[in-house]
């Protein structure tokens, strides 16, 4: 298994992680982006199910 780290699309080395400071605003922005992504994916899946007539659970 390989793990990679990035910040704003720029790769960083694992040893650089200790130098990273994440603010409360950074975390909130990240969580909001994740929630939006999940919502968009769910909406796309629902639309696809409606088009195909197949419902998955």
């Amino acid at each position: 298994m390989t793990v990679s780290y990035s910040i704003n699309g720029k790769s960083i080395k694992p040893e650089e992680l200790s130098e990273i400071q994440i603010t409360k605003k950074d975390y909130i922005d990240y969580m909001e982006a994740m929630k939006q992504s999940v919502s968009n994916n769910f909406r796309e899946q629902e639309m696809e199910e409606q088009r195909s007539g197949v419902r998955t659970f």
Side-chain angles (χ1 to χ4, degrees), residues 9-51:
K10 182 181 176 192
S11 290
I12 62 169
K13 298 175 185 170
E15 54 272 10
E16 294 174 304
L17 289 174
S18 64
E19 300 169 14
I20 304 302
Q21 292 185 354
I22 299 172
T23 66
K24 184 175 180 178
K25 181 182 180 327
D26 292 334
Y27 180 75
I28 291 170
D29 290 347
Y30 171 75
M31 293 305 296
E32 289 297 325
M34 292 297 290
K35 287 188 333 188
Q36 186 64 45
S37 176
V38 168
S39 178
N40 290 344
N41 289 340
F42 180 75
R43 205 171 299 123
E44 288 173 12
Q45 181 181 352
E46 269 190 334
M47 291 173 62
E48 186 61 35
E49 289 172 354
Q50 288 175 357
R51 278 188 234 122

Side-chain angles (χ1 to χ4, degrees), residues 4-12:
S4 62
Y5 302 95
S6 67
I7 296 177
N8 296 328
K10 182 181 176 192
S11 290
I12 62 169

